[in-house]
Amino acid sequence: MAAELADEYRARGVTGPPERTVLDVVPASLGGDGTGWRVRYVPFNGGGPVPADLVARGGRQRVVVTLGTALSRTAGARYVDRLIEQAATVDADFLLALGGADLAPLGELPPSVGRLASRRRRADLRC
């Protein structure tokens, strides 16, 4: 990358980094080699309002479960069935953010498990 930016560095009268720098997106608690700069991956998928019932803190911890949009779309909710079974034994509220995945195969959800209604992406809206 430094070689690609050499002209930019010269134009601004600065030198590039003296050596390569690794951006390590792995949290320290999960490992990584520790030689790079620790950074946090923060995705941005567009803005939108926060549902009113999620703004206030509840009386219990809240756990949000997501598989990402691609896996939710292709696999549905089948990968969360064991989590759903265990949710009833944990003192927490679980919120499934699974997009439009069909939850019917999971049967009746425990009272501590709710679904975050999917919202349409701006790209999906036709004006």
Side-chain angles (χ1 to χ4, degrees), residues 101-121:
D102 180 16
L103 299 185
L106 299 175
E108 187 175 340
L109 298 175
S112 61
V113 178
R115 177 185 190 139
L116 179 63
S118 65
R119 65 179 176 86
R120 298 183 68 167
R121 293 171 169 256

Side-chain angles (χ1 to χ4, degrees), residues 23-94:
L23 299 180
D24 197 345
V25 296
V26 177
S29 62
L30 296 178
D33 65 10
T35 61
W37 291 349
R38 295 273 182 199
V39 295
R40 187 175 85 175
Y41 174 71
V42 180
F44 180 74
N45 297 322
V50 176
D53 59 330
L54 297 182
V55 174
R57 280 199 173 292
R60 303 189 314 168
Q61 294 289 320
R62 184 180 296 148
V63 178
V64 178
V65 178
T66 183
L67 302 175
T69 55
L71 191 54
S72 292
R73 214 174 298 144
T74 59
R78 70 177 183 210
Y79 290 112
V80 297
D81 57 344
R82 288 180 55 201
L83 182 135
I84 302 282
E85 290 172 11
Q86 295 301 310
T89 67
V90 177
D91 185 27
D93 291 320
F94 290 79

